[in-house]
């Protein structure tokens, strides 16, 4: 389960990284390029993606030096390997099948803990709601978890609670998913 969460977190954190790189290249934002390469290198190291980390390090160094030619030379390979890495991480995550944590009491406890925070509009609910959403790789439960997040972010607290109740019923098997 920890591996799944690590991989899902990597994808969640860096799914927009190729577009971010493109934007920073287009605006010649070398500081931003260096920061992105540095963040990616650190996170990819946890995945033992050594070849990617070497490319990220070269890009980071070139950007920090302000070497436009080297940044341009390294950016294409960095972007290509990044897209490949994200695809590989997604494939590995998908091979795990449905999240095991979704079947145990862990998700129920998170939902129970989140309810009063959602009801009161407490921003601390955001962390719990994200944790709940990452427990599901797809399907109705994930869709409901994302709906709870969206409603809460839009300050539609009653709708967020309704969706959270529906998610709880789905997880516990005590009713359908429809709120």
């Amino acid at each position: 389960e920890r591996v799944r969460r690590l991989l899902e977190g990597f994808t969640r954190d860096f799914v927009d990284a190729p577009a971010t790189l493109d934007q920073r290249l287009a605006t010649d934002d070398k500081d931003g390029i260096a920061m992105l390469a540095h963040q990616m290198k650190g996170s990819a190291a946890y995945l033992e993606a050594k070849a990617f980390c070497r490319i990220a390090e070269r890009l980071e160094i070139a950007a920090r030096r302000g070497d436009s030619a080297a940044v341009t030379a390294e950016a294409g390979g960095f972007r290509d390997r990044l897209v490949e890495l994200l695809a590989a991480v997604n494939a590995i995550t998908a091979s795990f099948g449905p999240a095991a944590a979704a079947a145990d009491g862990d998700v129920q406890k998170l939902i129970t803990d989140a309810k009063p925070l959602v009801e009161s509009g407490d921003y601390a609910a955001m962390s719990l709601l994200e944790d709940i959403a990452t427990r599901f790789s797809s399907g109705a439960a994930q869709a409901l978890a994302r709906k709870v997040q969206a409603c809460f972010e839009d300050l539609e607290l009653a709708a967020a609670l309704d969706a959270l109740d529906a998610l709880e019923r789905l997880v516990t098997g005590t009713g359908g998913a429809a709120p």
Side-chain angles (χ1 to χ4, degrees):
E1 182 59 27
R2 285 186 189 148
V3 171
R4 171 197 293 275
R5 293 186 69 201
L6 172 73
L7 296 175
E8 288 174 345
F10 182 85
T11 300
R12 181 182 60 251
D13 291 347
F14 297 112
V15 70
D16 294 329
T20 300
L21 175 66
D22 292 343
Q23 177 190 26
R24 291 177 181 173
L25 287 168
T27 60
D28 197 33
D29 179 4
K30 288 185 185 65
D31 288 339
I33 293 167
M35 183 174 32
L36 177 65
H38 180 78
Q39 290 170 335
M40 293 292 315
K41 179 181 67 174
S43 294
Y46 285 108
L47 305 178
E48 294 290 321
K50 293 176 184 174
F52 177 81
C53 289
R54 286 191 296 273
I55 293 169
E57 183 171 16
R58 289 194 306 264
L59 178 60
E60 179 185 1
I61 290 168
R64 291 213 189 279
R65 276 195 255 148
D67 186 343
S68 295
V71 167
T72 300
E74 295 296 341
F78 175 84
R79 187 184 198 294
D80 291 345
R81 298 301 84 73
L82 171 57
V83 170
E84 290 171 3
L85 181 59
L86 287 167
V89 168
N90 283 332
I92 292 167
T93 303
S95 74
F96 291 146
D104 66 21
D106 195 28
V107 173
Q108 289 174 273
K109 180 172 180 352
L110 289 171
I111 291 171
T112 300
D113 292 347
K115 280 184 177 183
L117 298 174
V118 169
E119 186 172 26
S120 67
D122 188 326
Y123 190 76
M126 291 297 291
S127 175
L128 287 174
L129 296 177
E130 180 60 31
D131 197 10
I132 291 167
T134 61
R135 303 303 175 107
F136 306 102
S137 59
S138 63
Q142 185 186 47
L144 272 172
R146 294 297 179 197
K147 180 178 180 180
V148 173
Q149 286 179 297
C151 290
F152 185 78
E153 288 170 1
D154 292 340
L155 299 177
E156 298 173 1
L157 303 182
L161 277 172
D162 288 345
L164 195 56
D165 287 338
L167 178 60
E168 184 174 41
R169 289 191 303 274
L170 182 66
V171 168
T172 62
T174 58

